[in-house]
Amino acid sequence: AKTDDTPFELFKQALAATAKAMSQTRDVEVSYSAEAGRADEGRLILQTPPRELSPKQAARARGEADAISLRLAHHDAAAHNAERPSGEMARQVYEAAERARIESIGANAMDGTAANLDAALAARCEKAGYTRMQDRTEAPIAPAIEFLLREKLTGRPLPEEAEGIASIWREEVTSRGGDALEELMSQLNDQRAFARTVQRLIRDL
């Protein structure tokens, strides 16, 4: 007997329609791929969701699509590359902070988006093994800064999967980079100013 694909196809259509709207980009094309999703020259490539979708997986798929669409809407690659610092650690923090900025814009605009982004973040933390990390020797600072920034920029508590790694670094980052963190809150919609303050945060740390 043929399985009924209708709910799966409807979910994909809804995901594509939302992604288009959130990307704020005219004539954007949306396609699906087995690989991780990405935004690319006015195209959105979303990861094909699993056929059997639990509510948790559906929220995660929405969150991943939301993140890609928000990047297309709010991220200027040329400006980003022009401000990118040298040094591997500095670059990791810079990329992580920009991700926090982009996703916080979406989370602040809509509660549904915020919940989807949280679901995608929780899945990312589980996959990266962040939930098992106990101290700074094993917990990387770049994602911790991303999560602390996200917490600050949205005023939302972090999902518990992200809270562990954030809590390992919270005191250090807040005591050394507190001024820069405060300034970033007012620069959410100004990518270049935000990037320069992030560079200061990197120096402070």
Side-chain angles (χ1 to χ4, degrees), residues 71-81 98 101-102 191-192:
R71 182 167 279 267
L72 201 56
H74 300 292
H75 176 74
D76 176 338
H80 184 69
N81 294 338
E98 175 62 0
R101 185 188 74 83
I102 294 164
Q191 183 182 328
R192 276 228 130 115

Side-chain angles (χ1 to χ4, degrees), residues 18-20 22-23 44 64-74:
T18 306
K20 272 186 179 178
M22 282 183 84
S23 74
L44 290 170
E64 287 170 357
D66 288 353
I68 295 164
S69 310
L70 288 163
R71 182 167 279 267
L72 201 56
H74 300 292

Side-chain angles (χ1 to χ4, degrees), residues 59 61 89 113 134 145:
M89 180 64 81
T113 302
Q134 303 293 319
I145 287 176

Side-chain angles (χ1 to χ4, degrees), residues 119-136:
L121 175 61
R124 178 155 63 102
C125 290
E126 281 175 353
K127 194 174 171 186
Y130 296 155
T131 49
R132 296 186 298 278
M133 292 175 179
Q134 303 293 319
D135 59 45
R136 283 187 213 164

Side-chain angles (χ1 to χ4, degrees), residues 58-179:
R60 175 189 170 177
R62 289 192 191 101
E64 287 170 357
D66 288 353
I68 295 164
S69 310
L70 288 163
R71 182 167 279 267
L72 201 56
H74 300 292
H75 176 74
D76 176 338
H80 184 69
N81 294 338
E83 298 289 340
R84 183 185 278 139
S86 57
E88 184 55 32
M89 180 64 81
R91 283 188 173 193
Q92 285 176 12
V93 172
Y94 181 74
E95 298 297 336
E98 175 62 0
R99 181 170 186 155
R101 185 188 74 83
I102 294 164
E103 296 188 16
S104 294
I105 292 172
N108 291 346
M110 281 174 286
D111 282 345
T113 302
N116 294 341
L117 291 168
D118 280 353
L121 175 61
R124 178 155 63 102
C125 290
E126 281 175 353
K127 194 174 171 186
Y130 296 155
T131 49
R132 296 186 298 278
M133 292 175 179
Q134 303 293 319
D135 59 45
R136 283 187 213 164
T137 55
E138 53 183 10
I141 192 170
I145 287 176
E146 177 191 336
F147 306 159
L148 291 167
L149 259 177
R150 195 177 176 127
E151 179 181 64
K152 189 101 179 145
L153 295 168
T154 62
R156 286 174 64 86
L158 289 164
E160 67 184 87
E161 294 83 352
E163 172 55 39
I165 194 170
S167 67
I168 292 169
W169 286 101
R170 186 178 278 109
E171 200 176 313
E172 170 103 358
V173 171
T174 310
S175 64
R176 290 195 184 189
D179 293 349

